[in-house]
Amino acid sequence: MSLLCKSSPTGCFTQVNRLSWSRKIVHLPAKFQAKHSSVRQIRAYVTNHSGADTEDEASSRAPAKNAGMRVAYQGVPGAYSEGAVQIAYPGCDAIAYAAFDDAYEAVKQWETERAVLPVENSLGGSIHRVYDLMLARGLFIVGEVQRPISHCLLAPKGTRIEDIEVVMSHPQALAQTEQYLRNLHVKIEAQADTAGSAKLIQDQGLVGVAAVASSRAAELYDMDILDADIQDDKNNVTRFVALSRNPCTPNIPGEIYKTSIVFSFVDGPGMLFKALGCFALRGIDTTKIESRPMKNNPLVKKVWGDSVQFNYIFYLDFRGSTTQVEVQNALRNLEELTTFLQVLGCYPMDVSDPLARKIK
């Protein structure tokens, strides 16, 4: 039995009577392969036979506890992701990587203990590359952080706003300030990172060029803030997830947990309705759903006529823990409907007000 995954479209995580919740594969005895075996029972067996780190991420909020912990993020110092790292793991060593893939691989290769990567923004939507990495490469979501994003227009010291001809930044930041930049009548240039754009301008001594980045980037790279809070919507929030080689154990009383899954099914009338019904009928609150064409098998012939349409996978977040009986039953029910089901992680839910956070 596997509640984590079956028939992965990437071929990476197919499991047959085994559970890869730890650093090594643990084969389950026959007594755990029956349908009535609970996730709690299986988890206890894996923990006792693998040496996996089962410490809950909710306990990582004390700075002293994170001293020496290495956490990867994409960008350079001053990036919004660096700020998210310090919210998630205050006091840790935040280590910059050039690309999402590099930060992800840093955890897999034991260069860092965690990676904190953005998955969605209230204005720009989902960060699809990060979702693709989570689907294909096997780390677990162990926490989440929602942080406000306050964009600033940065330029070298002494620059006036009317001198700006080009503005560069990450595509997401440019999209989030689209209306503001249109009113400036400047040329837009996409770069790999927000703070990296500020660093590039300063390092190369570019004239007439500004960056959309954080106020912390202005401090780090000795630049003037020509304008602040330039995002088109002031309620601009990005959700980040913390990723680890091992899942956290949802066992802290009173903690609110979220579970993220991805699945697909054979096309048919009402299949999505039936899939969501697995949770609705058990009173489980779904908090996000998104469909994406399946990369390795994007087109499929539909049951009606000879129509060829996209073949989709569905990402779903719901409020609840895999230790809860109703969640276990919902996943078993969903497994009966799907051709592929993978749990990306069960982790403490960030229930704070992100707009109340005062960070640079």
Side-chain angles (χ1 to χ4, degrees):
M1 180 192 73
S2 169
L3 288 181
L4 277 184
C5 168
K6 65 177 185 179
S7 304
S8 166
T10 64
C12 295
F13 301 111
T14 302
Q15 300 177 36
V16 180
N17 294 330
R18 64 184 188 180
L19 205 62
S20 59
W21 270 349
S22 58
R23 295 188 183 99
K24 63 180 182 179
I25 296 296
V26 177
H27 292 268
L28 299 179
K31 67 178 181 179
F32 289 109
Q33 297 173 18
K35 281 286 185 181
H36 63 266
S37 297
S38 72
V39 171
R40 185 188 296 275
Q41 292 171 320
I42 296 172
R43 177 64 187 172
Y45 180 87
V46 172
T47 299
N48 292 333
H49 290 78
S50 67
D53 179 9
T54 61
E55 183 176 21
D56 196 286
E57 289 295 303
S59 65
S60 67
R61 295 167 186 160
K65 193 173 187 62
N66 300 320
M69 175 185 280
R70 300 160 299 170
V71 181
Y73 69 93
Q74 184 274 328
V76 300
Y80 295 106
S81 293
E82 183 194 32
V85 168
Q86 294 302 334
I87 296 172
Y89 302 103
C92 74
D93 295 333
I95 301 176
Y97 287 85
F100 292 138
D101 298 56
D102 298 332
Y104 201 97
E105 283 298 312
V107 182
K108 291 194 66 179
Q109 300 301 321
W110 296 77
E111 296 175 16
T112 65
E113 283 73 51
R114 301 285 189 275
V116 173
L117 300 178
V119 288
E120 59 182 342
N121 175 264
S122 57
L123 302 183
S126 295
I127 315 297
H128 292 142
R129 181 56 191 157
V130 177
Y131 275 103
D132 290 343
L133 288 170
M134 291 191 295
L135 174 64
R137 298 193 183 178
L139 297 183
F140 297 93
I141 304 175
V142 294
E144 68 171 6
V145 167
Q146 299 181 113
R147 68 152 293 177
I149 304 297
S150 178
H151 292 305
C152 299
L153 187 67
L154 312 184
K157 296 286 187 181
T159 303
R160 301 176 303 169
I161 197 166
E162 54 265 31
D163 297 331
I164 300 301
E165 298 177 353
V166 177
V167 174
M168 57 176 57
S169 192
H170 188 277
Q172 282 274 340
L174 295 174
Q176 293 162 23
T177 56
E178 180 179 6
Q179 186 59 52
Y180 175 88
L181 296 177
R182 184 181 293 118
N183 293 335
L184 286 184
H185 305 290
V186 294
K187 180 182 177 182
I188 303 303
E189 186 175 312
Q191 294 289 334
D193 182 53
T194 52
S197 300
K199 185 176 186 299
L200 176 67
I201 292 170
Q202 196 69 308
D203 288 349
Q204 296 188 6
L206 301 180
V207 177
V209 183
V212 176
S214 66
S215 58
R216 172 166 162 75
E219 294 177 2
L220 290 174
Y221 305 113
D222 194 30
M223 302 181 78
D224 282 342
I225 298 177
L226 303 185
D227 204 353
D229 292 327
I230 65 172
Q231 60 273 12
D232 295 334
D233 188 335
K234 303 307 178 185
N235 298 324
N236 187 19
V237 176
T238 294
R239 176 176 168 244
F240 296 79
V241 294
L243 299 164
S244 173
R245 291 178 293 273
N246 302 309
C248 71
T249 305
N251 60 3
I252 294 183
E255 188 75 38
I256 299 174
Y257 287 91
K258 180 187 288 186
T259 300
S260 296
I261 64 174
V262 57
F263 62 90
S264 64
F265 43 69
V266 176
D267 186 66
M271 288 302 295
L272 182 57
F273 173 81
K274 294 175 184 177
L276 295 177
C278 297
F279 302 93
L281 293 175
R282 294 173 174 87
I284 299 171
D285 181 21
T286 54
T287 60
K288 171 189 170 75
I289 184 169
E290 180 174 355
S291 62
R292 294 276 312 283
M294 188 179 293
K295 276 197 167 184
N296 291 348
N297 186 25
L299 297 175
V300 64
K301 183 174 288 189
K302 296 295 183 179
V303 294
W304 57 88
D306 293 324
S307 174
V308 176
Q309 303 291 332
F310 279 124
N311 189 26
Y312 289 97
I313 57 175
F314 296 86
Y315 290 93
L316 180 73
D317 292 349
F318 60 86
R319 181 169 167 165
S321 160
T322 50
T323 61
Q324 296 174 257
V325 173
E326 60 269 28
V327 170
Q328 296 169 21
N329 290 336
L331 291 176
R332 288 193 181 100
N333 192 176
L334 181 62
E335 193 173 30
E336 295 172 354
L337 302 173
T338 60
T339 56
F340 159 63
L341 171 62
Q342 180 180 333
V343 176
L344 299 175
C346 178
Y347 48 94
M349 186 175 180
D350 186 354
V351 295
S352 62
D353 179 2
L355 296 176
R357 286 185 166 131
K358 302 298 182 183
I359 51 179
K360 294 182 178 181

